[in-house]
Amino acid sequence: MDGHTGRLLERLPLARAHRWQGYAAAMALSLTGLVARWALGDAFPPGFPFLTFFPVVVLSGFLFGRGPGILAAIICGLLAWYFFIPPVMSLTLAPGAGLALGFYVGVVAVDLLLIDWMQRGTARLRAERERSQMLAERSQLLFSELQHRVSNNLQMVGAVLALQQRSVSDPAARQALSDASTKLQTIGRIQRQLYDHSGEPQTLERMLPDLVQDVLATAGKRGVTAAVDVDAQIMLPPDALIPVALIVAETIANAVEHGFAGRDTGRIAVQMRADSATVTLTIADDGAGPPSGFTSAGATSLGLRISRTLAEQLGGSFDLSPRDGGGAIATLSFRPT
């Protein structure tokens, strides 16, 4: 059953809001059956008084429900008995008439019972689907509200840490609070972007460009631009999206802070590719690049240590190295689960 037929059946019986219309239609159909029986009388062999009345009963019950169907069955039975069962023009129960009427009653009763059973089942399915749709909409609303609140709470904690930083005089403590505040607010933004309005996980193709622009806007360097190129077929579960997004945010923030220190302009290229076994993310910039003798494994920067830890959570590796022609390139490789 296709969707169009299903929707048509769900509208039955018709005239539910005005039941009298269904009964009036059943009477009109019964008279139509009588006229048809008269018009086609010569084409029928003797002994078939109900041939045009059976379709009337079925159609009345199917279109207008059990009550109009029963009314049509009674009217059609009386019309057939009076006009087409000998002795005609009489309701005398002659020999053989009782058997014919009993056969008619049995057939129309089975037809109406089957039609009523089908319509009751359709009504239950319709009610269940409407209930499921209502629950889905409610769940989606609650989920969106939860996402919004979690994001807001994370960003609020980050803002509180930023306020607390002002009252701390120790430079190391101030830097630690500043880093923690920035990271919490970044996680809050990532949390907000994890799912779309329907509750489905966001694709990296849609999520990463927004995240990169958020990080650059927070950094406050309008002259630094970024290009993001992500394979559309890359799909990651939410527990992998968060580490990947955090690594992107950390790497771009690090490039802006260190690679473009003293500069107002620069370019960052974010690229993500996947083959049959590995997802590879590269983030390249044209900034100052790492200092001479730099190795990613020996770096003590908090941002790099966080990126390496997150890469290990993904079962992969993270590396930052000088880029040919100047600048730096960060590479994350992992196997998607």
Side-chain angles (χ1 to χ4, degrees):
M1 183 186 299
D2 60 26
H4 180 73
T5 303
R7 288 191 296 271
L8 178 62
L9 290 176
E10 287 179 0
R11 295 176 58 190
L12 300 177
L14 303 176
R16 279 177 286 186
H18 304 284
R19 297 294 294 165
W20 66 268
Q21 295 177 351
Y23 288 100
M27 289 189 286
L29 286 170
S30 299
L31 293 176
T32 302
L34 174 62
V35 173
R37 182 65 180 83
W38 264 330
L40 299 173
D42 294 338
F44 294 153
F48 292 89
F50 304 110
L51 282 183
T52 61
F53 295 113
F54 282 130
V56 168
V57 176
V58 172
L59 195 60
S60 297
F62 183 74
L63 292 179
F64 303 106
R66 178 179 55 190
I70 292 173
L71 177 62
I74 294 172
I75 294 175
C76 289
L78 291 173
L79 291 174
W81 185 7
Y82 186 78
F83 289 106
F84 303 107
I85 296 178
V88 297
M89 304 299 181
S90 169
L91 294 179
T92 303
L93 197 62
L99 180 61
L101 288 171
F103 173 78
Y104 168 79
V105 170
V107 171
V108 297
V110 170
D111 289 343
L112 292 176
L113 283 173
L114 289 174
I115 291 170
D116 185 62
W117 173 78
M118 180 197 70
Q119 291 182 344
R120 286 176 181 271
T122 303
R124 285 194 296 270
L125 288 174
R126 181 178 64 248
E128 186 62 29
R129 191 183 69 249
E130 290 173 353
R131 179 175 175 272
S132 298
Q133 182 177 354
M134 182 183 67
L135 290 174
E137 291 173 354
R138 183 180 177 187
S139 298
Q140 179 180 324
L141 179 63
L142 291 174
F143 182 81
S144 299
E145 180 65 18
L146 176 63
Q147 286 292 110
H148 183 73
R149 288 182 181 273
V150 169
S151 175
N152 283 351
N153 289 341
L154 287 170
Q155 292 184 315
M156 184 182 297
V157 173
V160 170
L161 289 177
L163 288 174
Q164 187 66 33
Q165 174 192 354
R166 300 176 184 177
S167 62
V168 175
S169 57
D170 181 79
R174 286 175 61 87
Q175 185 60 45
L177 286 173
S178 176
D179 290 343
S181 171
T182 301
K183 287 171 175 54
L184 276 172
Q185 295 192 48
T186 300
I187 293 173
R189 289 194 298 272
I190 293 170
Q191 185 73 24
R192 189 186 299 273
Q193 296 172 349
L194 273 179
Y195 299 88
D196 62 19
H197 66 279
S198 67
E200 293 296 321
Q202 286 274 37
T203 62
L204 284 165
E205 185 183 22
R206 294 180 57 186
M207 179 182 173
L208 284 189
D210 292 340
L211 175 64
V212 169
Q213 294 305 318
D214 270 354
V215 175
L216 290 178
T218 302
K221 290 201 174 185
R222 298 182 180 275
V224 177
T225 60
V228 181
D229 181 16
V230 180
D231 279 351
Q233 71 269 20
I234 299 178
M235 298 291 294
L236 298 178
D239 58 349
L241 278 175
I242 293 178
V244 170
L246 283 172
I247 289 172
V248 171
E250 283 290 340
T251 304
I252 291 178
N254 183 70
V256 173
E257 181 181 357
H258 300 290
F260 300 125
R263 289 176 50 181
D264 294 327
T265 60
R267 289 187 57 80
I268 298 174
V270 180
Q271 188 178 74
M272 200 166 191
R273 295 287 182 264
D275 56 28
S276 58
T278 306
V279 174
T280 303
L281 168 71
T282 60
I283 304 172
D285 65 73
D286 60 357
S292 177
F294 171 86
T295 61
S296 181
T300 58
S301 165
L302 177 62
L304 287 177
R305 285 184 296 171
I306 290 175
S307 296
R308 287 201 301 269
T309 301
L310 291 171
E312 290 172 2
Q313 291 179 8
L314 292 169
S317 62
F318 177 83
D319 181 64
L320 179 67
S321 59
R323 177 189 177 203
D324 294 340
I329 182 168
T331 304
L332 168 67
S333 298
F334 64 97
R335 293 176 177 270
T337 55

